[in-house]
Amino acid sequence: MAISLPKMSGSVGCLLFVGLILMVGSVSSAKFEELFQPSWATDHFVYEGELLKLKLDNYSGAGFASKSKYMFGKVTIQIKLIEGDSAGTVTAFYMSSDGANHNEFDFEFLGNTTGEPYSVQTNIYVNGVGNREQRLNLWFDPTTEFHSYSLFWNQRHVVFMVDETPIRVHANMEDKGIPFPKDQPMGVYSSIWNADDWATQGGRVKTDWSHSPFVATYKGFDINACEFPATVAATEGAKKCSSSAETRFWWDEPTLSELNLHQSHQLLWVRANHMVYDYCSDTARFPTIPQECVHHRH
């Protein structure tokens, strides 16, 4: 079977996942201050025109959060990751709801020693339970140019994408008795922090502070999703953000209920060539294979 390479994904991925213009339900902008605000360490933020830089030094990291919460849609941020020796650092981009029983979708970019591949770890929390890590080495150098990282979410699945190439799919398997994150509004977050107890080679390589400050650079902030009113109950909000006879939302279109053939090939290519860890295969941690791994097609 011929497998399409990620560089061919642009037109197909954009056509399917950016959305249908005539349909309602999107909040979209490219300006940081319209969608986000600093959440901690404002003195570690640097604004340079359209670029936002977050700094990490041995005093502090930094982070920001969306001003609103959302239920279904697509969130994208373009990031140029820390250059040079970034061992011990983590740059995170994620969505999360509130509370102990929260849902969460994580991108965690794990720093490396100079010359080693940059890896990205993804994780999914459902009702407060995580431990669903997958890790892959990126097929490009993410420190030299900006690349887009996206989370697409509807009632059928969650899709993690890198430059519109799907790298992970978490499907709704409620029919198998497996909970799916579809009933909690989620904020959008990013942060840079020190995690040298685990981030690089399992914590064996520590952060070299002589290289600080470590800087991650952002642009292209885009949220094409259903904004969730703070005054609305979660159950009502889920209805508000779901298509009905009166209202159609682009993320509920049948073409977005699963990957198309091209995207499925891309995902297979990523898994076959770049995945270095999958919790579904870790029998030491999980002697009994997790139920979603039994039923999942990817």
Side-chain angles (χ1 to χ4, degrees):
M1 176 175 62
I3 295 184
S4 305
L5 299 180
K7 66 182 180 180
M8 301 172 61
S9 66
S11 60
V12 175
C14 289
L15 174 64
L16 290 181
F17 280 113
V18 167
L20 305 177
I21 294 174
L22 296 180
M23 295 188 181
V24 299
S26 69
V27 176
S28 185
S29 175
K31 293 185 177 180
F32 172 81
E33 63 273 13
E34 293 181 15
L35 295 172
F36 296 95
Q37 58 193 4
S39 52
W40 55 288
T42 56
D43 60 341
H44 282 56
F45 283 67
V46 178
Y47 301 91
E48 296 179 357
E50 68 170 358
L51 302 182
L52 168 65
K53 296 184 176 182
L54 296 190
K55 299 191 301 180
L56 167 67
D57 55 30
N58 55 354
Y59 296 101
S60 180
F64 61 82
S66 60
K67 295 179 179 180
S68 298
K69 296 189 185 308
Y70 303 91
M71 181 82 81
F72 310 131
K74 182 183 178 186
V75 176
T76 299
I77 294 181
Q78 296 179 44
I79 309 174
K80 184 161 63 173
L81 294 171
I82 301 166
E83 295 183 39
D85 186 348
S86 57
T89 69
V90 172
T91 304
F93 164 49
Y94 61 103
M95 297 184 72
S96 181
S97 58
D98 298 329
N101 295 320
H102 72 293
N103 299 328
E104 186 173 327
F105 315 142
D106 294 338
F107 277 104
E108 292 179 314
F109 303 96
L110 310 182
N112 65 345
T113 54
T114 303
E116 294 296 316
Y118 228 108
S119 61
V120 57
Q121 178 170 284
T122 60
N123 199 1
I124 296 171
Y125 285 74
V126 183
N127 297 333
V129 180
N131 298 322
R132 297 179 176 90
E133 297 92 346
Q134 291 183 354
R135 189 177 298 183
L136 58 89
N137 291 331
L138 293 168
W139 53 92
F140 52 83
D141 183 348
T143 71
T144 59
E145 296 179 334
F146 286 93
H147 292 268
S148 67
Y149 304 95
S150 304
L151 291 163
F152 172 77
W153 175 36
N154 64 14
Q155 296 191 60
R156 300 296 299 274
H157 55 191
V158 180
V159 184
F160 294 72
M161 288 175 283
V162 175
D163 292 333
E164 297 301 321
T165 295
I167 66 165
R168 180 173 187 171
V169 176
H170 184 77
N172 185 332
M173 292 177 279
E174 290 179 304
D175 60 331
K176 309 292 186 183
I178 299 168
F180 182 78
K182 67 173 189 178
D183 58 354
Q184 300 180 35
M186 305 178 80
V188 185
Y189 305 89
S190 187
S191 59
I192 180 172
W193 44 290
N194 179 45
D196 66 4
D197 58 330
W198 66 271
T200 306
Q201 297 182 29
R204 291 187 296 274
V205 181
K206 302 300 183 181
T207 303
D208 184 348
W209 294 109
S210 69
H211 295 297
S212 67
F214 302 100
V215 177
T217 308
Y218 299 76
K219 69 174 185 178
F221 305 92
D222 190 82
I223 297 178
N224 191 350
C226 185
E227 189 169 4
F228 192 94
T231 57
V232 175
T235 52
E236 293 302 313
K239 294 178 183 177
K240 172 187 177 297
C241 294
S242 302
S243 295
S244 65
E246 297 78 27
T247 308
R248 292 176 63 204
F249 293 109
W250 68 267
W251 50 83
D252 287 331
E253 283 302 288
T255 54
L256 299 178
S257 63
E258 60 183 4
L259 299 186
N260 64 28
L261 182 61
H262 178 75
Q263 293 161 334
S264 295
H265 287 175
Q266 290 177 313
L267 180 60
L268 289 171
W269 182 86
V270 169
R271 290 181 60 88
N273 293 280
H274 298 284
M275 180 170 284
V276 295
Y277 177 81
D278 182 2
Y279 78 106
C280 286
S281 304
D282 191 340
T283 55
R285 285 179 68 197
F286 304 102
T288 301
I289 187 169
Q291 278 298 103
E292 67 264 26
C293 301
V294 173
H295 299 291
H296 215 289
R297 289 177 295 171
H298 297 297

